[in-house]
Amino acid sequence: MVEALARDEHWFSLSRWLFHEGRLSGEGEILAHGKPYPVRLVYPDQFPEVPAWVEPQDEAKWSGHQYGKGTLCLQLRPDNWVSGATGGDVLRSAYDLLIVENPLGEGGERAPSEHRVGELQAYDWGANPVLIGAGCAGRIRAGGAAEVIALRWMAADDVWPILVHDAEDRASTRRPPGADINSWRFEIPVFLSGAVTPTDLSDRAAIVRASGFAEEQAAVVQESAAGLVLFDGEDELGAVHLMPEGASHRRRVFVLPDDGGIRTSRPKEAATNRVAVVGAGSIGSKLAEMLVRSGIVALTLVDGDVMLPGNLERHVLDWRDVGFRKVHGLKRRLLAISPGTQVETIDVNLNWQRSAKTHAWQVGAIARCDVVVDASGDPATALFLGAVAEANGRAFVSVQVFEGGIGGLVATSIPKRDRTFVEGRASYLAWCEAQDTAPPEAGPGRYEMLAEDGAPVVADDAAVAATAAHAARIVLDILDGDPPSPESAWMLLGYRKAWLFEGHGHNIRLDVGKPSEAAAPPLDKEAAAFATALFREWLDADNSST
């Protein structure tokens, strides 16, 4: 096609074929407005699945639509390339660009740009980014911003961003984090100026003079070890970073949309409900993180296990948390995502020997949650939690992954609608027996620190994550008032051809039946009166002591 183009078109001539830097290339000349442009057409190894390109033979700068002094950015490019296009098509695209812009002649129009990469995504160290939410920027402009400060991230990807926020930003659940020396994140003061951003950054005094600060504030800025001066005297905010060693440099301000929370669309009343997650292992940790990222702001985490190197294969935690209790490491991670989240931790297993009084308040903390999730992998713990949830009128979800990662189980019990978890499990076991097969193994089920029989279920991270995601979806649907139907309260999730699963994606909705109608016990009026009298006596004594 290239040789045919040279034969049929007056504007292109082909000089030779060669290998340039190991790639098949054709060198020739494009004639545009009577000016010769020596070009090189280069075919990549993966052509025609990826496009060929055109570049000047002598590294000349011809157009703003050019990467440095190299490849021309053309109408045919990676984002719209089709494998049926040819090298001749690419050359014609280069000719069209040169005809429009006429760079070696008197100049012409600038060809329109098709770039769709946002300015924020394209920034690098040269941009010196200062990030600020649109709401905060508006309050600064209107003079209504209070307690404006900034966070500076140190030595990260050669970008070192600075995030500006005010008191209103920090009142949000998904507020910016605080300083953290472990993450090389430090707070620096922000000084607001109504002046135009200065061009003279030679010394701190020149910046202070240009900022128009009053004498007292000017002294503070002058003596500050580090800080950020924001200027709003122009259409766009300007920023000058005051460095600890006395140097200063201008930074570019990127105003970000205040779109936190719009990706979850969680109803406010649903987001404030509390969820108990018992078991902070691979499934529980993933499930808890999904809930927080989906807008849930109150969690109670229960687990006595310790994060060990072997857990790294499937857990959301990493080497920074090895040697610590999982619930405490998970709390740190969740607060790093959403610093305003209320995370209560109970760092023991419910089946450990301990004080009955301690056990009572720990179970009470679980019973106060709106949804109780069992991610312990222990059938006895699941049955106990199901009974606690039922007794307190709480929705209950139990989740486990099967040995070998062949699938998983998510069981739901909503009071007054579904069978209790104990009854549902009995129906599940009876169904398995009717299929003439035993339920899939779930492993030893004891996740106690260094216990001899505490080997985890063999299932890779993909199987664990898929199961946790299904459970998180159900918990969120319950909180949103749209729980799964009773017919699918027990879900068997298949990931491969094994047991009763026909393969990946074969899910079984197991109808475990309707709740049994247990007759309410007759009211013992004498016992009720006795209990009421004791309660009033306690209230009177408590009031008198205060």
Side-chain angles (χ1 to χ4, degrees):
M1 294 299 295
V2 173
E3 292 179 354
L5 184 73
R7 182 181 64 247
D8 299 338
E9 300 288 350
H10 72 280
W11 52 265
F12 176 70
S13 60
L14 178 65
S15 302
R16 61 171 181 161
W17 290 102
L18 74 159
F19 275 90
H20 176 74
E21 297 180 349
R23 297 185 180 93
L24 177 65
S25 304
E27 290 185 347
E29 189 175 85
I30 291 177
L31 191 67
H33 295 290
K35 302 294 183 180
Y37 294 84
V39 295
R40 180 184 299 114
L41 171 69
V42 182
Y43 290 93
D45 294 339
Q46 301 301 320
F47 184 86
E49 278 68 36
V50 298
W53 64 85
V54 173
E55 61 189 20
Q57 293 183 32
D58 52 0
E59 296 187 348
K61 184 65 175 178
W62 289 337
S63 171
H65 296 284
Q66 187 175 355
Y67 296 97
K69 294 183 179 181
T71 308
L72 295 175
C73 184
L74 304 173
Q75 294 165 316
L76 284 173
R77 52 190 186 272
D79 60 304
N80 64 2
W81 179 256
V82 292
S83 58
T86 67
D89 296 325
V90 176
L91 285 166
R92 187 178 297 276
S93 180
Y95 170 72
D96 291 341
L97 174 66
L98 297 173
I99 283 291
V100 170
E101 297 199 339
N102 192 18
L104 297 182
E106 297 178 357
E109 301 177 9
R110 177 173 172 79
S113 175
E114 293 293 334
H115 279 274
R116 294 294 180 264
V117 178
E119 60 175 1
L120 186 62
Q121 286 73 25
Y123 78 59
D124 56 16
W125 167 236
N128 299 320
V130 171
L131 311 178
I132 181 171
C136 183
R139 292 188 290 274
I140 290 175
R141 288 250 184 223
E147 302 176 22
V148 181
I149 58 175
L151 282 174
R152 183 190 182 197
W153 279 262
M154 302 285 287
D157 297 332
D158 290 333
V159 174
W160 300 11
I162 291 178
L163 174 68
V164 176
H165 52 94
D166 65 357
E168 187 168 331
D169 290 329
R170 295 190 293 278
S172 168
T173 300
R174 296 184 178 274
R175 58 180 175 262
D180 179 12
I181 192 171
N182 296 314
S183 302
W184 282 82
R185 188 175 64 232
F186 303 95
E187 286 186 356
I188 60 175
V190 175
F191 308 104
L192 303 179
S193 168
V196 173
T197 309
T199 56
D200 181 7
L201 305 181
S202 57
D203 57 41
R204 183 74 62 86
I207 299 170
V208 172
R209 286 193 301 271
S211 303
F213 292 132
E215 183 177 347
E216 183 177 346
Q217 187 178 18
V220 173
V221 178
Q222 183 68 46
E223 297 172 6
S224 178
L228 184 74
V229 184
L230 281 181
F231 299 87
D232 70 348
E234 300 172 275
D235 292 339
E236 295 183 356
L237 287 171
V240 173
H241 184 200
L242 310 176
M243 305 290 285
E245 63 274 14
S248 303
H249 67 265
R250 184 165 181 166
R251 282 180 171 259
R252 185 177 175 188
V253 177
F254 293 88
V255 178
L256 312 177
D258 291 323
D259 57 0
I262 66 171
R263 293 170 177 82
T264 63
S265 65
R266 186 108 293 111
K268 185 176 181 180
E269 59 275 12
T272 56
N273 288 339
R274 179 173 287 273
V275 178
V277 179
V278 181
S282 55
I283 288 183
S285 65
K286 286 179 166 59
L287 190 150
E289 180 172 320
M290 291 176 194
L291 294 179
V292 168
R293 290 188 186 278
S294 299
I296 303 305
V297 298
L299 290 173
T300 295
L301 307 175
V302 184
D303 198 315
D305 204 1
V306 170
M307 184 70 184
L308 298 176
N311 302 132
L312 294 171
E313 294 176 343
R314 305 185 308 189
H315 211 280
V316 299
L317 300 182
D318 53 40
W319 276 105
R320 290 170 293 185
D321 297 296
V322 167
F324 294 93
R325 299 277 184 185
K326 290 178 180 177
V327 288
H328 299 314
L330 184 55
K331 178 178 180 177
R332 286 191 291 271
R333 180 172 178 85
L334 298 179
L335 294 182
I337 297 168
S338 179
T341 301
Q342 302 171 30
V343 183
E344 179 184 28
T345 58
I346 298 175
D347 58 4
V348 297
N349 284 6
L350 294 180
N351 58 0
W352 282 358
Q353 181 179 355
R354 60 198 188 285
S355 161
K357 183 177 181 179
T358 300
H359 181 64
W361 80 254
Q362 290 169 346
V363 174
I366 296 171
R368 287 191 293 274
C369 296
D370 298 278
V371 179
V372 178
V373 179
D374 161 55
S376 67
D378 176 34
T381 300
L383 291 168
F384 170 70
L385 290 172
V388 170
E390 177 67 21
N392 289 271
R394 306 302 188 189
F396 178 67
V397 177
S398 182
V399 52
Q400 68 179 76
V401 65
F402 295 143
E403 184 70 40
I406 65 170
L409 167 65
V410 181
T412 306
S413 178
I414 298 176
K416 299 181 180 180
R417 195 205 71 167
D418 300 324
R419 305 198 78 181
T420 66
F421 180 72
V422 174
E423 295 172 327
R425 189 168 187 274
S427 295
Y428 165 57
L429 296 176
W431 177 82
C432 290
E433 185 175 352
Q435 311 305 311
D436 197 25
T437 184
E441 293 292 329
R446 290 187 63 195
Y447 286 81
E448 298 178 16
M449 177 176 54
L450 303 180
E452 292 182 0
D453 60 351
V457 174
V458 176
D460 61 24
D461 188 64
V464 171
T467 308
H470 273 86
R473 178 72 271 157
I474 288 173
V475 171
L476 292 169
D477 287 345
I478 292 172
L479 293 173
D480 290 347
D482 186 25
S485 66
E487 295 77 18
S488 57
W490 282 65
M491 284 285 294
L492 295 162
L493 312 168
Y495 304 142
R496 64 180 61 175
K497 186 173 178 57
W499 191 57
L500 297 175
F501 300 127
E502 297 177 0
H504 184 204
H506 179 203
N507 300 335
I508 301 173
R509 294 184 177 187
L510 184 60
D511 186 354
V512 296
K514 296 181 179 180
S516 57
E517 297 182 5
L523 176 64
D524 188 329
K525 295 183 179 179
E526 183 177 349
F530 178 71
T532 301
L534 288 179
F535 186 70
R536 286 176 175 169
E537 181 182 341
W538 171 74
L539 285 178
D540 292 341
D542 188 59
N543 290 333
S544 62
S545 65
T546 57

